[in-house]
Amino acid sequence: MKGDHESEEMDDVVLSSMWPEDINEAGRQFNVERPGGDQDMFEEVTIKKEPKVVDFKRLMELTNYSDKGNWQLAKLVKNWEFRQANAVRLLREELDSLSKQQQQVELKKLEILEEHRFESDGYGGDKRPISILDDKLSYLLNQEAPRRRNIDVVPHKEKVEMEVYWKQRGTSLEKLLEASLEREQILMEKLQESIENLERQSSPVEELSHVLERADNFLHFVLQNAPVVIGHQDKELRYRFIFNHFPSLGEQDIIGKTDVEIFTGSGVKESQDFKQEVMERGLPAKREITFETELFGSKTFLIYAEPVFSKAGETIGVNYMGMEVTEQVRKREKMAKLREEMAVQKAKETELNKTIHITEESMRAKQMVATMSHEIRSPLSGVVSMAEILSTTKLDKEQKQLLKVMLSSGDLVLQLINDILDLSKVESGVMRLEATKFRPREVVKHVLQTAAASLKKSLTLEGNVADDVPIEVIGDVLRIRQILTNLLSNATKFTHEGKVGINLYVVKDPSTITKQDSQEEPVVWIRCDVYDTGIGIPDKAIPTLFKKYMQAGADTARKYGGTGLGLAICKQLVELMGGQLTVSSVEHHGSTFTFVLPYKVSSMSDDPDELSDTEHQDGTEDDLHSGVFVFQPRSLGPLFTCQSSTRTPKILPNSYELNANKIDESPSPSSNITCREVSSEEDAKARCLSLKNVKSSGRFHPYDHKSPETRRVEGQTNARPKILLVEDSKINVMVIKSMMEKLGHRIDVVSNGAEAVLAVQSNTYDLILMDVCMPVIDGLQATRLIRSFEETGSWDEAVKAGIEMQPSITQEKSGKRTPIVAMTANAVSESGEECYANGMDSFVSKPVTFQSLKQCLQAYLP
Amino acid sequence: MPLNQQNPGENWQTASASSETMDYGKMDTQSLNRMLLDRINELAQAGLVDDHFLRLHSLKEDSGPSFFLELILVFLSDAGTEMKDMLKILYQQGHVDYKNLHSHYIKLKGSSSCFGAFRITDACSHLRAAIQNKSKEGCIQALLNIQGEYNCLHDQLYSVVEIEREIVSRETGNQ
C-alpha cells in the first residue's frame, strides 16, 4: 500500500518532495491550515506559477535515492494512515454505541414479555419473541419459563375481569413494541449509511495532493513577491530546480547548467566555489556574496547552501537559497561608515574637550597668578609705604641706609608683581591702549635720564633720534616708555663697559607701502633700536628669550637676577600695539633689540600743556628738535652717591613717584632733608659702604667706586681687629653686625664670595665669618680661593674662577692664614667636614648667638 | 615733613585688615615698652617666635632705637622675597632647579632661625625633605605651609611693629 501511494503521489505532486519535511505534522516548521471553511482564500489571489523550473527526472532520482526525499514521502503516507486509522476508530465507537442501544431495547422487551408470559401461554404461546441477538439470553428465558409456570396460581373467580384488563394492556404493549422496532430499523439504516459513507470517502492520494497543493499555494503566496531565489543543484552544480520570482532567463538557459555557464561577472565564481565548498564539507553554511554581472547589475545576495545526501551518505547535490540584501548591505555599510565617523568625531570631541580643559586650567592658573600677585601687592605696598614713612622720620645715617635697602627690595618685589599683573592683563586682553600725543625725543631723553640716574656703572648712555621722526606722534606713551625702560635696563644690566643707546628713525610701512589711508591722519612707522656693548646672547638662547620666566641661562639668572618677565612683557606690548620686537646679538659683543611701531602723526600742538609727557617741562624749542643725547659716566658722579634706588618712576604707584622725584631733583628747594643730609655729610658714604654692598648683591664690585674718603675711613679703623662678614642675608647681616657692635667690634660686610675675595685682596682681615650658601661664588669656593692666595701669593685661581681682580692692588704673600669661620644653616650639604675640607677653621650653626660669636672671637682674635 | 603727619599705621592696616586698632600715642613710653614685651611674650607662648627674638629686642640698646623695628621689617620683606623666588622657581616651566631652590631654602632657614621665627624655621624642614626627594608637589606644599606660617607671623607682628614704631618715633624725637 505504501508503495502505491508513493508512486501515485509522484505522478501528481512532484514538487512537494522538495518542500521541507514534516509538512503538516501540527506544530512543526511548516504549518498549513487544514482544508476547510476558507478553502476559497486563494481565489482572490492570483498565483503565478511560472517561475519554478523543474527537472522532473532529477526529482525522481532525488526522491528515490536521497534519504531525505524518501523520508519525506514516508512521512506523508504515515500521516495519511494516521488520519484514516482515526476515522476507523471513530466509526467503531459509533457502532459500539449503537449495539449498546440495541441491547438495551432487547432487555426491555424481554422484561415486558416476562410480565405477560402466562397470557402468552394461554392465548398466544406461538407469539413468543425470539431474540435476534443473543442465544444465551433466549436460553435464559427458556429456562426461567417453566419455573414460573409452577409458581403461578390464580383463583378462578377473578379470571373474567382479568381477561379484559390484560387484553387492553396487551394492545398497548404491542404498540410500544412496534415503535421500538421502528427505531431499531432507523438505527440499522443509519449504520448502513455510515458504512457506505466510509467507503465513499476520498482516497489518500487525493487528500495528499490536496494538502500539497495547499502548501504549494501558500508557498507561492508567500514567495510571490519575496526577493529570494531557491534552487537545487546536483553534485556537478548544474541547476536541477530553480525558483526565481524575477526570472531573466528561460528554463532551457538554466536547467542543467552551472552558475558559471549561466552568467559571468564578479561574484559568480565565488558563489560556485562556495557551493562546492559546502558540498565538500558536508555542512550547511551562509555567505554574503556581491555579484557584479551584466545580467542583473550589482547586487548582494545572502546565500544559504546545504548539502543533500544520498541514502548511502554521499553528497549528491546542494540546496541553496539566496536572498537579495543589496539595500541592507548598503545600509549596513553606511551605518558602519557613520559609526566610524562618529567614533572619529567622538575622538575629536574628546581631544577638543581635553584641549578646552587644558586651556581652562591654564586660564585658571594665570588667573591665580594674577590674583596672587594682586594679593601680594597690597600688603607689600603697605610695607613699602610704611618704610617710606619711616624714612621721613628722624633717623641716623645707617638707619637711612637700612631703609633704602628695604625700599629697594620692596620695589623689586613690587616690580615683579606689576610685571606679572601686566602680563596677565595683556594675555587676557584686558589691557587697553591709550592714544595720547607725545614727543618721541622727550621720551627717549627721559628714559635715558632715568637710566643714567640709577646707573651704577661707567657706561655711556646715548640716544639718537633721526631728523625725520615727527616732533609729536600719537600712541600709548606709557607703554612705549615701559618698553624702552625695560629694554634699556636690560641693556645696562648686561653691559659692563662701553655704551648703551637708543636709535629712533622712520621706516617704511612693513606691510603695505601704499598710502591708502592718507585721508585719515597719516601713520608713521618708527623703528627703535636699543643697543649695547654687553655680554650678548648665545644663539641657542634666542628662541626662548621672549618666553615668560625664561632667561638666557641659569647662570645669568643667578648672577644678574631679574624676573625673566621683562622681555616677555615688552614683546606682548609691542605686538599689542601692532608692531614687532626682534633681537640680534653677537655673544660677548653686544645685543640690539629692535621694535617697529606705527604711530599716528599729530600736527604740532600750539599749547604745550596738552602734551601728556610733560612732567619735566624743561624743553625749549631747541630741545624739541635736538635728537642727540649723551650721558657720559663722569656726569653720574653726584647721582651715584645718593641715588641707589633701582626703581623707575614708571613702575611705581603714584605715592612713590614723589619720593623718586625728590631724589632726582635734589637741588630744588622743595626737596626734603633726605638728600641734603646725605650730601652734606660726606663721610656717610664711607660708613654705609658695607651696607650698600649688601643691598646690591652681586651687581657691582664693592671697590670699583671706592672714594678716597672710604679708604681713609678704613685706615682709621685699622687699630681694631678687622673682621669681615660674608653674608647675603640682610637679616643675618643686621643681627650679626648688631651683636658684633655690642661686643665692641665693627665689621665689614660683603654679600658674596666674589666680593669677599676682592675684599681680602684689598684688605687684611683678622677674622672672616663666611656664610656657606651664597650667590655667584659660595663660601666654600671663596675660602678655597683665599687659601690658594695665602699659599701661593697669587690670585690666579680667583681670576680663573671668573672674578675680575683689581690689577692696581698688588699684595705680597703675607704667609699669614686668616681664620675663616663658616656659618651654616645646619643643612646637610653644609656639613662640618665639608667646611674643614675647603680650608675653613671652624663653623657656627645658625642662628648665630652671642655665645657662639663670643667663643669664636675668643678663639681666633688675639 | 608732610608725610610724617600721616598716621604711621595706615598703610600697615591696609595690609592686614583684621588687626585691631589702638591709640598708642596716648600711652606713656614705659607702658608701651611693657606692652611690647607682653606682646613678644605672647608671641613666644604661641610658639610663633623663640628666645632669639627676645634677644634681638635686647640688641636694641646698642644698635640704635630703630634696630628692632628695622629688623622685623627687613625680615618680613626678606622672607617674603625668598618665598616668592622659590615659588617662581617652582612655577617655572620645565625642569625645577632644585639646587637653586635649595640655596633659597638655606637663606630662608638662616634668616628665620636668626630672627627667631620658630614656626617658619620648623616648616622649612619639610621643604628640605621635599627638595631632597625632588618632589615638586611636596615643595609647593611645604612652601605654602611656610607661607601660611609667614602670614600668621606677619599678622601677629603687627601690634609689635605698631608699638615699636611709636616707641621709636618717641625716642628719635627725644633725641
Side-chain angles (χ1 to χ4, degrees), chain A residues 159-160 179 199 295 301 314 349 367 414 455 474 525-526 534 583 655 708 717 732 734 750 774 787 814 823:
Chain A
K159 219 168 185 181
V160 182
E199 276 167 4
L295 209 59
F301 284 84
E314 284 171 53
E349 211 171 286
Q367 189 55 46
L414 269 178
L455 198 65
I474 296 172
W525 287 77
I526 299 177
V583 62
S655 60
T717 57
N732 286 329
M734 287 176 76
V750 288
M774 279 180 302
R787 292 290 180 236
S814 61
M823 291 185 298

Side-chain angles (χ1 to χ4, degrees), chain B residues 52-168:
Chain B
H52 278 288
F53 192 65
L54 260 175
R55 259 175 242 149
L56 295 181
H57 181 244
S58 67
L59 282 176
K60 196 174 154 182
E61 295 164 25
D62 298 77
S63 310
S66 64
F67 172 79
F68 188 56
L69 182 60
E70 281 164 8
L71 199 68
I72 294 173
L73 299 176
V74 168
F75 169 74
L76 290 177
S77 130
D78 244 23
T81 312
E82 289 302 329
M83 290 189 300
K84 182 206 71 215
D85 285 348
M86 283 192 265
L87 265 186
K88 210 174 86 191
I89 292 166
L90 283 170
Y91 283 116
Q92 213 157 34
Q93 278 180 336
H95 182 67
V96 175
D97 185 353
Y98 285 103
K99 211 178 147 192
N100 195 2
L101 201 62
H102 184 254
S103 61
H104 280 292
Y105 146 74
I106 286 177
K107 264 185 95 174
L108 180 61
K109 197 191 169 188
S111 50
S112 63
S113 65
C114 184
F115 184 72
F118 178 71
R119 293 220 317 230
I120 293 179
T121 318
D122 203 38
C124 276
S125 59
H126 295 289
L127 181 61
R128 193 188 71 184
I131 291 172
Q132 265 176 357
N133 296 334
K134 301 209 171 197
S135 150
K136 188 174 174 177
E137 278 305 304
C139 286
I140 291 171
Q141 200 52 52
L143 201 54
L144 292 178
N145 202 9
I146 294 172
Q147 257 180 349
E149 295 296 350
Y150 171 83
N151 288 339
C152 185
L153 183 66
H154 185 277
D155 290 348
Q156 293 296 320
L157 280 176
Y158 163 71
S159 52
V160 176
V161 169
E162 282 289 86
I163 301 166
E164 181 66 8
R165 192 202 317 281
E166 182 62 35
I167 296 170
V168 168

Side-chain angles (χ1 to χ4, degrees), chain A residues 385-386 392 399 402 731 738, chain B residues 1 11 63 66 70 111 165:
Chain A
S385 47
M386 204 189 66
T392 60
Q399 286 167 349
L402 284 170
I731 203 90
S738 168
Chain B
M1 290 202 290
N11 283 306
S63 310
S66 64
E70 281 164 8
S111 50
R165 192 202 317 281

Side-chain angles (χ1 to χ4, degrees), chain A residues 114-150:
Chain A
E114 208 173 317
E115 268 180 56
H116 309 285
R117 193 173 39 96
F118 66 99
E119 244 178 315
S120 324
D121 279 350
Y123 304 96
D126 55 340
K127 275 194 178 173
R128 187 175 153 208
I130 295 151
S131 164
I132 53 158
L133 287 173
D134 217 324
D135 292 63
K136 256 188 187 169
L137 202 68
S138 51
Y139 169 73
L140 193 90
L141 288 171
N142 288 338
Q143 270 194 334
E144 271 184 15
R147 191 170 50 94
R148 286 238 183 154
R149 221 176 286 152
N150 300 334

Side-chain angles (χ1 to χ4, degrees), chain A residues 3 68 77 81 114 164 177 256 274 297 390 396 442 451 500-501 534 581 640 744 768 777:
Chain A
K68 205 174 250 180
V77 170
E81 277 174 347
E114 208 173 317
V164 178
L177 186 63
F274 168 60
L390 193 66
D396 64 26
E442 278 188 11
V500 171
L581 177 63
F640 170 71
I768 300 172
I777 286 180

Side-chain angles (χ1 to χ4, degrees), chain A residues 643-751:
Chain A
Q643 167 62 304
S644 64
S645 171
T646 56
R647 290 169 296 150
T648 53
K650 243 230 90 311
I651 50 136
L652 287 170
N654 287 333
S655 60
Y656 306 139
E657 219 150 290
L658 175 62
N659 199 286
N661 289 342
K662 211 159 58 192
I663 297 166
D664 284 344
E665 304 162 4
S666 48
S668 80
S670 66
S671 75
N672 61 38
I673 319 155
T674 318
C675 287
R676 263 189 275 129
E677 277 184 348
V678 174
S679 51
S680 64
E681 298 179 39
E682 280 293 307
D683 63 339
K685 282 180 292 186
R687 287 180 62 198
C688 63
L689 170 75
S690 55
L691 273 169
K692 206 154 87 178
N693 293 347
V694 174
K695 165 210 75 218
S696 59
S697 73
R699 266 175 231 167
F700 72 107
H701 303 303
Y703 298 95
D704 275 0
H705 319 293
K706 205 179 251 177
S707 60
E709 289 89 342
T710 315
R711 298 203 186 284
R712 183 168 47 76
V713 173
E714 275 166 3
Q716 285 168 353
T717 57
N718 234 355
R720 289 187 199 164
K722 281 187 68 80
I723 299 168
L724 177 68
L725 173 63
V726 190
E727 169 65 85
D728 65 328
S729 164
K730 284 174 228 161
I731 203 90
N732 286 329
V733 169
M734 287 176 76
V735 172
I736 293 169
K737 202 161 175 266
S738 168
M739 285 177 172
M740 282 300 201
E741 274 168 15
K742 193 158 186 164
L743 291 169
H745 296 280
R746 289 193 78 83
I747 55 173
D748 286 349
V749 182
V750 288
S751 66

Side-chain angles (χ1 to χ4, degrees), chain A residues 330-376:
Chain A
R330 203 175 296 144
K331 276 182 191 160
R332 195 181 58 205
E333 272 162 13
K334 220 171 172 182
M335 283 290 281
K337 218 174 193 177
L338 280 173
R339 255 184 225 129
E340 203 175 295
E341 273 168 22
M342 266 165 73
V344 170
Q345 204 76 25
K346 213 166 184 184
K348 271 185 194 166
E349 211 171 286
T350 328
E351 199 63 25
L352 210 67
N353 275 337
K354 243 186 233 167
T355 320
I356 288 170
H357 185 72
I358 291 167
T359 318
E360 276 174 359
E361 279 295 298
S362 60
M363 293 266 284
R364 221 170 293 145
K366 268 176 205 162
Q367 189 55 46
M368 200 202 80
V369 170
T371 318
M372 218 169 71
S373 308
H374 190 76
E375 289 301 314
I376 295 169

